[in-house]
Amino acid sequence: MTQMSETELMLRGYGLTTAQLFYRMPDYRNVLNTFVWQEYDLAPDHPKLFEFIEFWQDTIEGPLHSVQYTHRKMLSSGEWRQIVGEFTLH
């Protein structure tokens, strides 16, 4: 499968999701650390974000404390127009 460009993703309804994950250090459970994750994802279900959270829980030793996220749709198909030609005015 070919990976789509950012523009193609935006035209298909994807928006930029940024998540800040707070997790406990494996050896120091009283210490919280943060990790920032960013990916183009589909709201409101956020399948890529939840896939990453599942990956974290299955693979990373530091247990998650909480997750804060925001989602911004940067472009919609109604805002896109194709330019066929260009000319210069003097």
Side-chain angles (χ1 to χ4, degrees):
M1 180 177 188
T2 306
Q3 188 171 356
M4 290 186 273
S5 70
E6 292 178 2
T7 304
E8 290 172 316
L9 287 170
M10 287 187 278
L11 288 172
R12 291 176 184 238
Y14 284 73
L16 191 61
T17 299
T18 304
Q20 184 175 18
L21 293 90
F22 294 86
Y23 64 97
R24 297 194 183 278
M25 299 296 290
D27 295 334
Y28 303 97
R29 296 294 173 138
N30 293 329
V31 177
L32 282 178
N33 206 353
T34 62
F35 179 83
V36 175
W37 175 90
Q38 194 171 54
E39 185 70 51
Y40 284 94
D41 206 355
L42 288 169
D45 295 332
H46 299 286
K48 290 188 178 189
L49 174 59
F50 284 105
E51 179 183 326
F52 181 75
I53 290 171
E54 287 176 12
F55 165 79
W56 184 289
Q57 291 174 329
D58 293 341
T59 310
I60 307 296
E61 287 185 31
L64 287 175
H65 174 270
S66 59
V67 177
Q68 295 178 351
Y69 68 94
T70 185
H71 179 84
R72 171 118 160 97
K73 210 169 181 183
M74 317 254 315
L75 177 71
S76 68
S77 58
E79 297 172 342
W80 176 262
R81 64 183 180 143
Q82 182 180 6
I83 304 296
V84 177
E86 181 179 337
F87 60 91
T88 305
L89 296 174
H90 296 280

